[in-house]
Amino acid sequence: MLERRMSMFLSNIDQLFNFDIETVHFFSTVESFPPSAVYDTVERALQQLLVPYNFLAGRLRPDLVKGRLEVDCNDAGVGFVVASSERTLEEVGDLTYPNPAFKYLVPTRSSTGLEDWPLMAIQVTSFKCGGFTMGISNNHATFDGATFKTFLDNLASLSTTGGTLSVHPCNDRHLLSTRSPPQVTSPHPELTNNNIDSIFDASIDTPIETKLFHLTPSNITLLKQKAKSPHVERPAPTSFNAVTAHVWRCHAAATAAKTSTLLYMVDLRLRHPPLPKSYAGCAVWGAHATATRDELLEGEFDRVVESVREGKERVTEEYVRSAVDALEIGKGEALMSGDLLVTSWWRLGLEEVEYPWGSPVYCCPIVDRRRGVAVFVPDVRGSDGGSGGGGGGVNILIALSRDEVEQFEKMFYEFLE
């Protein structure tokens, strides 16, 4: 008798994010938890997590009849790697700077085949000083940022003796399934049928520079003050909206495009009532805003911030249902598009996860040099930009051509004066 294996449905939004996300989590030396103890603890906790997160042990496979991806829950397992370095963490240098060598702290994909590569792989790397890193690679179709944070909270909880799950995941991806028949009730300029490399330009022929820009809490307060209109009563600007508007203006100044479309992800759990907070799939959608170069550079800053806010407000429950249905009609050909993609790790709280050996001293994604993408990550330095701790600021990583970086930097700091 043939064994019938279970498969897990993936929503159209899950399908959209079929690529790997890599993060590195740095930990200081803890005498009571040498790296060897961390190896064993993480491995045991991970084995326990594969019960509520059983899909992680499966593999992606195409359903040729339905023309979509699904997870084959075949218990093939997750990846777990133990590594070591002859360096100390201090020798690594400034952890906030995007060091290309961080790539070696994450499990290396050994195959491009869907059915040959785990949906998640973890590498624990010990350093000569006793500190260590935990590098995680997972397919974005399994988690969005909020769900990844929940997964790490659960991993930390189960790493503690007698610990239990902090949150029980909801694995039902049908909560974001299409309507029957699909109903596209809104225009979706954030979607395109173009090839992904023409959306966020890899710029193969143009040398790309990656640069980190830092905003202190006082810088952010200044931006929020500049975002207040003396003439129009509007909701108080948020830190994210003010910083995003600032980066959008600087990007417009650096590039020659006559119009610019901003794209950034919003969490749907508070905007799509059927979704519980514990929903484990990709529950994000791209908020968009479009403006001319003149509007961004010569218009009032408060109006730019308002455009960012309006983009988020546009993402209602009906708008999301319409977008999911548009993806169904597009049969997987549609992709999100924009001139500037802001991907924010700023408020995810990955650095707040409390493991038995303490919280990470720093967490960061491994970022490809792709023109038109700005990555926000939390700063771990003091409020004055020093190394005194406390953080509260944000680091902004952006990749542009050399000339564009110079123009971006010029406007970035001039507006803060």
Side-chain angles (χ1 to χ4, degrees), residues 232-284:
V232 182
E233 185 174 345
R234 292 188 174 121
T238 66
S239 297
F240 175 83
N241 288 355
V243 171
T244 299
H246 180 48
V247 171
W248 190 17
R249 292 178 79 243
C250 296
H251 183 266
T255 60
K258 292 183 178 180
T259 61
S260 176
T261 296
L262 166 74
L263 190 72
Y264 64 96
M265 299 298 135
V266 296
D267 191 338
L268 303 180
R269 290 169 183 83
L270 299 178
R271 296 175 168 271
H272 199 288
L275 291 179
K277 289 184 178 180
S278 60
Y279 180 78
C282 284
V284 292

Side-chain angles (χ1 to χ4, degrees), residues 93-149:
D94 184 0
L95 299 182
T96 64
Y97 189 78
N99 191 330
F102 290 172
K103 186 85 174 176
Y104 297 104
L105 302 175
V106 178
T108 303
R109 178 181 276 275
S110 57
S111 170
T112 57
L114 287 178
E115 298 182 6
D116 298 326
W117 182 245
L119 291 175
M120 173 171 283
I122 297 179
Q123 176 177 317
V124 180
T125 304
S126 61
F127 285 77
K128 192 175 181 180
C129 59
F132 60 93
T133 60
M134 187 165 65
I136 303 176
S137 172
N138 68 281
N139 190 294
H140 202 338
T142 60
F143 295 139
D144 59 20
T147 310
F148 183 54
K149 165 63 163 56

